[in-house]
Amino acid sequence: KNPKFKTILSKNLILIDFSFYAYYGWCYVNNLNTGHFAATSYYGLTNAQNCVYFAEKTPKEFDWISKPYVHYREKAIQENKDVALTAVKRNPFNYQLISKELQNDKSFALDCIGAQWDMITYIDPIFKSDKDVVYKSIKDDPTTFVFASEELRNDKEIALFAASCGANLITLKDYCDDRDVVLESLKNTSSNILNLSDELRDDLEVVLAAVEKVPGNLWHASKRIRELGEGVEPKDYSFVLKRKIVQIEVEKLSESLNDSLNTKSKKFKL
C-alpha cells in the first residue's frame, strides 16, 4: 500500500523540527556558558582574530586590554617579518607602517610582490630600479612594467621579458618601432597594430603575428599587405600571408642560386 502524502510530510516535518531544536538548543547552552549564541566556540576565536583591525574601537571599560593589544600589534607589524607580511598582504597601505629596516629589506619586498597587482607602487621606490623585484612584479602582472624606473623601462631585455609574459603594445608603447619586442608581444597578446611604425605595418611577419590573434589587424597594415586580403575571408588571412612569405623566400632563394650560377659561369669562361 502506498503511503499517503500527509504521512510522508509529517515524518519529514518531525525530522526538520528535531534538527531545528537541537541546533538552537545547543546555541542557547553556549550562550549561557560563553556569552555567544553560536553552535561552537569558533565564533569567539574568529572574533579574537578579526579584532586585530578594530581593537581601538573597544568600549572604554576594556581599555586595560585594548591599549596594550594595540601597542604590541603595532610593534609586531613593524618588527616581525611574518606579521608585517600578513598585514601588507591584507592591505598594501600597511607597508608604510612597518619599520624602515623591513621597508629597505629586498627579500621582504620580493615577498610582498604578488599581494596586489600593483604592489610595486606601494613598496620603497628604490626597488623600482631593482631588476629582481621588477622581474617578479612583471611575471605576476606584465602591466606593472610601466611602474619600473625609467632606466629599467628603457632596458630592451626587460621589455622583451614583459612582452613574453603578456604585456600588450599599450604597456610597451615606447617600443612600437622595435621589431623584436613588437613580435614577442603580438605572439602573446591580442594587440592592435594601428600605432606601430609604417615600417612594421609593412612587415609581413609582424602583420601575420597580429592577424593570427586578431584577423581585423590586416586592415591596419600597409596598403601593399591590405591588398592581399581583398576578396578573402577573415579566417583565411593568415594562410594568405604565410603563402606570400613563402613565395618571397622562394624568390630570394632562386635569385641567390641564379647569382651563384652566373658567377661560376663567368669563372668557367675565363
Side-chain angles (χ1 to χ4, degrees):
K1 186 178 179 179
N2 293 327
K4 294 182 178 180
F5 175 74
K6 288 184 178 179
T7 304
I8 297 173
L9 181 61
S10 61
K11 287 182 179 180
N12 287 333
L13 285 175
I14 291 171
L15 290 174
I16 294 171
D17 287 345
F18 175 77
S19 301
F20 179 85
Y21 286 116
Y23 178 81
Y24 285 101
W26 182 247
C27 288
Y28 177 71
V29 171
N30 280 333
N31 187 47
L32 293 176
N33 291 287
T34 68
H36 294 291
F37 191 81
T40 69
S41 59
Y42 177 73
Y43 179 86
L45 293 174
T46 303
N47 269 356
Q49 292 171 341
N50 289 341
C51 77
V52 171
Y53 298 97
F54 58 80
E56 298 94 333
K57 298 180 181 180
T58 55
K60 286 187 177 181
E61 61 262 34
F62 296 108
D63 281 354
W64 62 275
I65 189 170
S66 65
K67 287 185 176 180
Y69 185 92
V70 171
H71 171 74
Y72 286 105
R73 179 195 65 189
E74 299 301 322
K75 187 176 181 181
I77 290 175
Q78 287 184 4
E79 299 177 3
N80 187 296
K81 190 173 182 178
D82 292 334
V83 175
L85 183 59
T86 301
V88 170
K89 285 184 176 180
R90 186 177 288 266
N91 186 345
F93 286 104
N94 284 330
Y95 187 88
Q96 307 304 320
L97 302 177
I98 65 178
S99 66
K100 288 295 181 183
E101 182 181 356
L102 277 181
Q103 287 185 23
N104 295 326
D105 186 332
K106 179 179 175 177
S107 64
F108 182 74
L110 285 167
D111 289 338
C112 288
I113 294 296
Q116 188 163 312
W117 74 272
D118 60 347
M119 189 65 215
I120 194 171
T121 64
Y122 293 93
I123 62 177
D124 195 296
I126 192 174
F127 293 118
K128 293 181 181 181
S129 298
D130 186 289
K131 278 193 173 184
D132 295 331
V133 174
V134 170
Y135 268 117
K136 185 174 182 184
S137 181
I138 290 173
K139 187 176 181 180
D140 285 343
D141 191 319
T143 61
T144 58
F145 170 81
V146 299
F147 299 126
S149 66
E150 184 178 357
E151 179 186 358
L152 293 188
R153 290 199 309 274
N154 291 331
D155 188 324
K156 183 176 176 177
E157 180 186 335
I158 294 178
L160 280 168
F161 177 73
S164 70
C165 291
N168 59 31
L169 294 178
I170 296 175
T171 300
L172 299 166
K173 58 185 178 63
D174 294 330
Y175 288 88
C176 283
D177 58 350
D178 188 298
R179 189 176 189 274
D180 297 330
V181 175
V182 167
L183 268 175
E184 190 63 35
S185 178
L186 290 174
K187 289 176 184 176
N188 295 289
T189 64
S190 300
S191 292
N192 189 306
I193 64 171
L194 184 60
N195 295 320
L196 296 187
S197 64
D198 292 341
E199 181 183 353
L200 291 182
R201 287 189 290 115
D202 191 49
D203 187 310
L204 278 167
E205 287 187 43
V206 170
V207 176
L208 173 61
V211 166
E212 286 186 328
K213 294 286 185 180
V214 182
N217 266 322
L218 180 70
W219 304 111
H220 297 311
S222 65
K223 182 180 178 182
R224 174 180 75 94
I225 295 179
R226 289 200 306 271
E227 289 175 348
L228 296 174
E230 291 180 357
V232 178
E233 291 291 327
K235 62 183 178 64
D236 296 323
Y237 288 164
S238 294
F239 172 75
V240 170
L241 295 178
K242 288 177 182 178
R243 183 176 61 187
K244 184 62 177 178
I245 290 172
V246 171
Q247 179 185 340
I248 291 173
E249 290 300 320
V250 169
E251 288 174 357
K252 286 181 179 179
L253 180 61
S254 178
E255 288 178 6
S256 177
L257 288 172
N258 286 334
D259 290 343
S260 178
L261 289 174
N262 289 334
T263 301
K264 288 181 179 179
S265 177
K266 288 178 181 178
K267 287 183 178 180
F268 180 75
K269 288 179 181 181
L270 291 173

